[in-house]
Amino acid sequence: MWDEMLTLTRAEESKEFKLFEALVNGDVEVDDAVQWVIAATMDRLEDYGPGGTIEKADAITFIAIIELAMQIDTTQYDPLVKFLAELKLYNAVDSSTGLVLKTQDGSRVWSHLPSLTFWVREIWTDQMKYLSDPDMEPEQQIRWTKLNIFLAKVTQAADVEYTSPLQVWISDAMDVSHLALRGLRHVFEEGVLSERVASTAGLLGVCYWLICAGDRLWENVLNCRRYNKYDGRPGEMYSNRGWKGFERERWDIWVQGIRDAKVTCTSGQELVEDLIDRALAKIERVMNNDIPSC
């Protein structure tokens, strides 16, 4: 559970959390924050001794970023996005061997930002069971919405190279659009009733993904971007389709699902209806810039 991890790591009391608060408030420059985190992480790794791992030393930085993003106003995200863009220009290097430090799956710290992906997956898995629940606590809905906006902005800021239609490895570690794919699958491919969708946090999340990173998601579709079986698989309603990622057929189903959700909006859901309209407007804009797909 994310809350348990926050308690265990005391993330909100950490120097990293306070650093990022200062960063978003304009009291610290991005370059200075990056250099501080690099030095602090390597010092922590050295303090751990032989039993320590780079994943453990790197963890608090990204737990702090993610938690802060779910607390602050969404207009304050730019410094955090710029921080990630700067941090991924560096690799953590073992001072005794000169070798780049990697996680167990071979990802480089920091250029592959493995801890960002790992901890976002943790909270994603933690919250997934609530995303179709209309009775999800309002505070949790707000936190979920902010997380999706933050990740969408991070993804839109990535510099992605579409080198292969079968590309699984992400060419820019800031591109986590596979999480948008997971959200869209959950909302529109798992059998959630259309009249219920408009009342769920899941819909709020995918609408903000489309609003904030619609260009990236549409580009994924145009390039037929595919992922591994876990991230790219279709939902239960379409288990026979053989989808592996951002297929055009799948995109059309998502768009229709959003339109269907709008129809079901009732009195008192004007804010949701407005959000859907913004998402549909963004979809129309990006599709009007259509280019030949694969």
Side-chain angles (χ1 to χ4, degrees):
M1 298 288 290
W2 183 254
D3 290 342
E4 293 174 358
M5 181 56 62
L6 291 177
T7 301
L8 180 65
T9 60
R10 301 175 68 178
E12 292 176 87
E13 300 171 28
S14 68
K15 292 180 179 179
E16 281 80 359
F17 192 88
K18 292 176 172 56
L19 172 73
F20 296 134
E21 283 185 314
L23 179 63
V24 299
N25 289 329
D27 298 326
V28 174
E29 296 295 326
V30 171
D31 289 348
D32 293 334
V34 168
Q35 293 305 318
W36 187 94
V37 164
I38 288 174
T41 303
M42 299 309 292
D43 287 346
R44 191 179 299 115
L45 179 61
E46 188 172 330
D47 290 341
Y48 288 151
T53 65
I54 188 61
E55 290 100 325
K56 186 177 179 182
D58 195 42
I60 189 64
T61 295
F62 292 90
I63 294 172
I65 288 176
I66 295 166
E67 178 57 28
L68 181 62
M70 291 190 289
Q71 294 186 17
I72 61 177
D73 191 277
T74 58
T75 59
Q76 295 179 288
Y77 286 162
D78 282 354
L80 295 179
V81 175
K82 291 176 181 177
F83 170 85
L84 293 174
E86 180 74 15
L87 184 64
K88 72 181 177 64
L89 300 178
Y90 294 86
N91 282 313
V93 177
D94 187 325
S95 59
S96 63
T97 65
L99 298 176
V100 173
L101 293 170
K102 299 179 181 180
T103 59
Q104 292 182 356
D105 68 356
S107 298
R108 295 185 172 203
V109 177
W110 292 275
S111 59
H112 292 157
L113 300 178
S115 290
L116 174 67
T117 303
F118 177 83
W119 291 109
V120 167
R121 281 185 184 274
E122 287 294 295
I123 192 169
W124 207 274
T125 301
D126 185 34
Q127 293 295 308
M128 189 64 73
K129 56 184 174 291
Y130 302 113
L131 299 188
S132 300
D133 183 1
D135 297 321
M136 185 180 185
E137 292 292 333
E139 181 182 350
Q140 289 301 107
Q141 281 203 7
I142 292 171
R143 283 169 59 82
W144 178 255
T145 298
K146 287 184 175 181
L147 176 65
N148 282 270
I149 293 172
F150 176 62
L151 295 175
K153 287 181 175 291
V154 169
T155 296
Q156 187 61 43
D159 183 15
V160 178
E161 296 180 7
Y162 295 93
T163 57
S164 166
L166 297 177
Q167 185 176 14
V168 174
W169 185 255
I170 298 172
S171 57
D172 187 320
M174 289 174 63
D175 175 20
V176 290
S177 51
H178 61 289
L179 295 175
L181 179 58
R182 291 181 65 183
L184 288 158
R185 177 176 63 226
H186 181 82
V187 176
F188 298 120
E189 300 177 17
E190 299 290 4
V192 180
L193 298 176
S194 58
E195 56 266 29
R196 185 175 178 175
V197 165
S199 301
T200 66
L203 179 71
L204 301 181
V206 298
C207 281
Y208 275 114
W209 264 101
L210 289 160
I211 292 166
C212 299
D215 301 88
R216 168 71 61 236
L217 301 186
W218 179 237
E219 196 170 6
N220 286 342
V221 173
L222 294 178
N223 287 277
C224 305
R225 189 155 202 164
R226 293 174 173 84
Y227 294 89
N228 58 45
K229 290 182 179 180
Y230 180 75
D231 289 323
R233 73 183 188 279
E236 186 176 346
M237 290 176 62
Y238 303 95
S239 58
N240 63 339
R241 297 294 177 98
W243 296 333
K244 296 180 179 179
F246 285 90
E247 290 85 0
R248 177 58 191 269
E249 178 188 33
R250 201 173 192 181
W251 171 272
D252 291 341
I253 288 171
W254 299 334
V255 173
Q256 187 58 51
I258 294 172
R259 291 177 177 143
D260 292 343
K262 180 183 177 181
V263 172
T264 68
C265 285
T266 58
S267 177
Q269 289 187 306
E270 287 80 9
L271 292 177
V272 176
E273 191 169 5
D274 178 65
L275 184 65
I276 292 173
D277 284 339
R278 290 170 61 194
L280 289 172
K282 185 59 177 283
I283 288 169
E284 183 177 0
R285 285 199 298 272
V286 299
M287 292 183 70
N288 282 339
N289 292 325
D290 197 350
I291 60 175
S293 61
C294 59

